[in-house]
Amino acid sequence: MSTPRGQDPYRLNQGVHVTLGIVLIPVLLAKLWSVVPRLFSWPPVKSLSHALERISLLLLVGGVLFEFATGLLNIQLDYIFPGSFYPLHFYGAWIFIGAFVLHVALRMLRNGGLREELRRPAAKNARAGAAPATAGPTSLTDPTGLTTPEPAAPTISWRGALGMVGAGSLLLFAMTAGQSIGGAWRGTALLAPRGQDPGPGPNGFQVNKSAAGVGIRPRDVGPAWRLVVRGQGQERVLTRPQVLALPQHSAALPIACVEGWSTEDQLWSGVRLRDLAALVGYAELAPGVFVQSAQRSGAFRSTTLRDNQVRDARSLLALKVNGADLSADHGYPARVIVPANPGVHNTKWVTTLTFGDRA
C-alpha cells in the first residue's frame, strides 16, 4: 500500500526561513552601516532614559548579529558555539524581539508618543535627515543624531546604495536557494553544503550525516542487528527478515533539515509505526515513541515522537527507499520517516522503539 504524494509544510517553512535569512544579510549590513554614528555617540549615557535606550540598542544589535551568526554557522554545519544550536537560536530570537519592542517604545516616548510620531509630516522627517553641517549630533534639526557634523563628499547615491544591497541579496539567493528548491537548481547552491551532486541510483539524494561520520560499525547493522520493540511491559525482538515479513506500506516524503536543505519526495517502504505499537499491546490509539539508534554519540542518536506522529498512516519504520534497500548512509537496516518532521529527528540505524511512558 502506498500513501499519495503531498507537500511537506516543514520543508517549505524551513527553506523559506533559511533562504530569507541569507538574502537579508546585505540588508542587515547596510542598516548597521547607516547607524554606525549612533552606536558610538559620546558621551555614551546622558540620562536614565538615554541609558535605557542604549541598553535596548545594545541588545537589539547584539541579538540580530547573534541570530545571523549562529544561523550561518548552523547552515554550514560548523557548531563552534557552546551548547545546542536550537535553544541558543530560539532564545536569541526572543532577546532580539524584546529589545526591538523596547527600543521602539522608548523612541516613541522620547518623540512625544505614538500619536505625535504618526502626525509628524514625512517632509519634516526628510528635512531632519538633511541637517546642515553645523548641526550637532542631537540638534533640533537632526533628532536622529545620525547626521555627521562634517560630512565628506558623497561617494554613492542612495539609489546606488539600494541597488548594491539589492544586487547582493539577489546573488546570495541565486547561490543558496537551490538546496531547498532541488532538481536542476541544486547545482546552483554554491554556498550551501547540500548543493553537491549525491550520485545516481535509488539512494542518490542528500544525507545529513554519514554512517562513517557517526561511527557506525559493520557489526552494528549487519546480520546480528535486531529491532527491539517495547511497551506496556512487553518486548518483541525482531530480525530484519521478520520486520520485512510484517505488513509493508509506502509513503512519498522528502527529507527536510533545519539547515534549510531538502530533497524531493522519496518513496519510502516499511512498517507503520502504529502497527509496531500494536505488537506490544497498543492496538488502538498508539502513544508516543522513544526511538534509539545504533549511533553511539551525538545529540541526535535518539528522538521522541508524539502520539499524533505515530498514528499518522505515513509514519514508517522504513526499510527501503525508491524500491531498494536503504544504503548505510540513509540508515540501513531501518530508519524512521515521519511527515513534516525535521530531518535530524527521522532517526537512522534504529535499534529500539519504546512506546508509552518512556516516550
Side-chain angles (χ1 to χ4, degrees), residues 60 90 97 150 177 180 265 292 341:
L60 184 66
F90 177 79
I97 292 171
E150 297 179 2
S180 299
D265 282 357
Q292 293 171 275
N341 202 37

Side-chain angles (χ1 to χ4, degrees), residues 38-55 110:
R38 185 76 174 177
L39 299 179
F40 297 98
S41 63
W42 194 264
V45 176
K46 301 173 185 177
S47 64
L48 178 59
S49 63
H50 187 243
L52 291 174
E53 186 178 331
R54 296 288 286 176
I55 292 172
R110 189 175 181 182

Side-chain angles (χ1 to χ4, degrees), residues 57 65 67 85 119 129 199 309 318 329:
L57 189 62
L65 289 176
E67 286 297 283
F85 164 76
R119 286 178 173 177
Q309 292 177 300
D329 288 343

Side-chain angles (χ1 to χ4, degrees), residues 322-343:
N322 299 321
D325 284 344
L326 297 170
S327 67
D329 288 343
H330 281 300
Y332 181 89
R335 69 169 297 162
V336 164
I337 186 73
V338 175
N341 202 37

Side-chain angles (χ1 to χ4, degrees), residues 14 28 49 84 91 143 157 181 197 206 208 222 277 340 344 347 349:
Q14 201 60 24
L28 171 66
S49 63
S84 172
Y91 289 116
S157 68
I181 298 172
D197 182 2
Q206 280 69 19
N208 192 17
V344 291
T347 306
W349 313 292

